[in-house]
Amino acid sequence: METTLSEFLECVPELPENVKYVASERFKSPTTGEPLEWEIRPLSNAESERIKVQCQKEATKKGRLNQARFTKLYNDTVMVECTVFPDLRNGQLQDKFGVKSADPVELLGKMLCLPGEYNGYLEKVTEVNGFVVNQYEEAAEEAKND
C-alpha cells in the first residue's frame, strides 16, 4: 500500500495522553488504602531539546562534557518536567519531605527513595516519551521464542 501526501495533509495526528502510574506502593490513600497514582505527561521534541542544551551546559567544564553527569541531569530533569501530579514544585510537599532547596529533583529523590522505585519511574517516563525500554531484552526474548 502506497501512502500519498494527501493522506498526511488530511490526517490529524493523535496527541499522546497523560499516563497514570503507581510509582511506589508505599504511598497509599488514607481513605481507601489503595496505592496513589502519579500522572506523567510526554514532552514535546522542543522541550526535550531545550533540556538537553541546558544539561549539556551544566555538565561541561573547560570545554569537556562529563557524559555521566549529563545523563544524570537529563534524566532527572525529564522526570521532573514529565511529572504532572504530584506537583514536585509544591512547597507543602517539599516541606513534608524536608526539601530545603526547593529543588524538585531533590523532592523526587526523597519521595522515590528506593533505587528500584526511582529506576522504575525513569523507565516509565522514558516509555511515555516514546522510547523503547529494554529493547535488547525484548529482542532477546523474541529470538528465544522463534
Side-chain angles (χ1 to χ4, degrees), residues 53-72:
V53 169
Q54 171 193 339
C55 293
Q56 283 174 338
K57 286 179 186 174
E58 290 182 43
T60 300
K61 230 182 213 180
K62 297 181 182 178
R64 300 191 76 168
L65 177 68
N66 180 327
Q67 187 63 47
R69 180 161 165 66
F70 167 76
T71 301
K72 173 87 171 107

Side-chain angles (χ1 to χ4, degrees), residues 65-81:
L65 177 68
N66 180 327
Q67 187 63 47
R69 180 161 165 66
F70 167 76
T71 301
K72 173 87 171 107
L73 286 168
Y74 180 77
N75 287 341
D76 288 346
T77 305
V78 166
M79 286 192 292
V80 166
E81 293 303 315

Side-chain angles (χ1 to χ4, degrees), residues 55-122:
C55 293
Q56 283 174 338
K57 286 179 186 174
E58 290 182 43
T60 300
K61 230 182 213 180
K62 297 181 182 178
R64 300 191 76 168
L65 177 68
N66 180 327
Q67 187 63 47
R69 180 161 165 66
F70 167 76
T71 301
K72 173 87 171 107
L73 286 168
Y74 180 77
N75 287 341
D76 288 346
T77 305
V78 166
M79 286 192 292
V80 166
E81 293 303 315
C82 289
T83 304
V84 175
F85 188 80
D87 178 3
L88 299 174
R89 290 178 174 85
N90 180 282
Q92 289 177 303
L93 194 57
Q94 291 176 350
D95 287 347
K96 176 178 174 44
F97 284 90
V99 174
K100 304 294 184 216
S101 65
D103 181 5
V105 172
E106 182 183 350
L107 176 59
L108 183 62
K110 286 191 173 194
M111 291 181 76
L112 301 177
C113 62
L114 300 175
E117 291 174 343
Y118 199 83
N119 287 337
Y121 193 65
L122 175 58

Side-chain angles (χ1 to χ4, degrees), residues 41-54 74 77-78 81 129:
R41 73 173 183 92
L43 296 176
S44 70
N45 194 47
E47 289 173 302
S48 177
E49 289 302 316
R50 179 187 50 78
I51 292 169
K52 281 181 191 173
V53 169
Q54 171 193 339
Y74 180 77
T77 305
V78 166
E81 293 303 315
N129 280 286

Side-chain angles (χ1 to χ4, degrees), residues 134-146:
N134 298 326
Q135 64 185 358
Y136 299 110
E137 290 176 22
E138 290 174 12
E141 281 299 314
E142 284 182 31
K144 285 181 192 176
N145 294 333
D146 286 342

Side-chain angles (χ1 to χ4, degrees), residues 16-25 35-42 82-87 120-121 123-125 127-129:
E17 294 183 12
N18 291 359
V19 172
K20 303 279 184 161
Y21 175 72
V22 175
S24 171
E25 296 285 333
L36 298 174
E37 292 182 321
W38 294 42
E39 185 175 350
I40 304 168
R41 73 173 183 92
C82 289
T83 304
V84 175
F85 188 80
D87 178 3
Y121 193 65
E123 282 186 12
K124 189 63 177 181
V125 167
E127 178 186 305
V128 167
N129 280 286

